[in-house]
């Protein structure tokens, strides 16, 4: 495992989730993005296209979902994401389909970082999901957001 991959895995363990409404922890859900597959920085338009494709897949599942933004704690990097009320197996399938290194799974209010396509890593329990949530009036407009190359 190279240092870049290890650095990414460490960054993934300190997420910030921007939500416009609190989520219920009565049901399990996963946080999934289609942005920047395999940690390759894409343009905003490429990420929007992938996000629309992911949303179509989510809608076909017929499960509840909610938009959110996954971010670095200092907001130096942000990705449109979805909280999807599906089981772990289905969530991992979606993560792999969109070539994501990892997804987050929330069960009984506890969030775990779960590897998808990033080999050599074990699932990490991060603690209470609510500790990583910031409620915002509206989600940031990522169409003009420039991603920091220092994050990757």
């Amino acid at each position: 495992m190279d240092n870049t991959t290890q650095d990414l895995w460490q960054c993934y363990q300190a997420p910030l989730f921007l939500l416009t409404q609190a989520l219920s922890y009565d049901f399990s859900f996963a946080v999934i993005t289609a942005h920047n597959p395999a940690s390759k920085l894409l343009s905003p338009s490429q990420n929007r296209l992938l996000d629309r494709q992911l949303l179509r897949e989510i809608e076909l599942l017929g499960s509840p979902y909610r938009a959110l933004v996954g971010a670095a704690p200092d907001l130096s990097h942000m990705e449109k994401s979805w909280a999807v009320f599906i089981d772990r197996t289905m969530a991992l399938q979606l993560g792999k389909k969109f070539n994501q290194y990892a997804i987050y799974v929330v069960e009984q209010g506890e969030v775990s970082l779960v590897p998808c396509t990033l080999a050599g890593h074990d699932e990490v329990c991060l603690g209470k999901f609510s500790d990583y949530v910031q409620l915002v009036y509206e989600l940031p407009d990522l169409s003009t957001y420039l991603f920091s190359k220092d994050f990757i």
Side-chain angles (χ1 to χ4, degrees):
M1 170 181 13
D2 62 33
N3 286 339
T4 302
T5 303
Q6 186 58 35
D7 290 346
L8 274 175
W9 192 248
Q10 290 301 315
C11 289
Y12 293 164
Q13 292 179 49
L16 175 63
F17 300 107
L18 304 177
L19 299 159
T20 57
Q21 295 179 333
L23 294 172
S24 170
Y25 305 134
D26 292 339
F27 304 97
S28 298
F29 61 91
V31 177
I32 306 168
T33 186
H35 279 210
N36 304 314
S39 198
K40 179 182 175 191
L41 289 176
L42 300 181
S43 70
S45 61
Q46 290 170 309
N47 279 325
R48 278 193 308 276
L49 177 62
L50 288 170
D51 182 62
R52 284 193 295 268
Q53 291 171 357
L54 174 58
L55 180 57
R56 278 194 295 274
E57 294 285 332
I58 291 169
E59 288 174 335
L60 288 173
L61 296 173
S63 297
Y65 59 89
R66 176 92 39 86
L68 62 99
V69 170
D74 65 358
L75 302 179
S76 62
H77 183 83
M78 293 187 274
E79 295 184 354
K80 171 79 175 290
S81 303
W82 299 93
V84 188
F85 290 81
I86 54 177
D87 66 38
R88 175 185 293 257
T89 302
M90 292 173 81
L92 281 167
Q93 288 173 352
L94 272 180
K96 289 176 183 175
K97 182 171 188 171
F98 286 88
N99 203 17
Q100 295 298 308
Y101 280 165
I103 61 170
Y104 296 94
V105 174
V106 180
E107 296 168 319
Q108 299 176 343
E110 298 286 316
V111 61
S112 294
L113 175 62
V114 182
C116 288
T117 63
L118 193 59
H121 293 281
D122 295 321
E123 181 173 328
V124 178
C125 181
L126 302 176
K128 292 183 179 185
F129 180 72
S130 59
D131 291 344
Y132 298 95
V133 170
Q134 181 178 335
L135 293 178
V136 295
Y137 179 70
E138 63 184 2
L139 295 178
D141 179 9
L142 301 182
S143 64
T144 58
Y145 179 74
L146 297 176
F147 294 94
S148 167
K149 293 195 182 297
D150 295 334
F151 185 80
I152 299 297

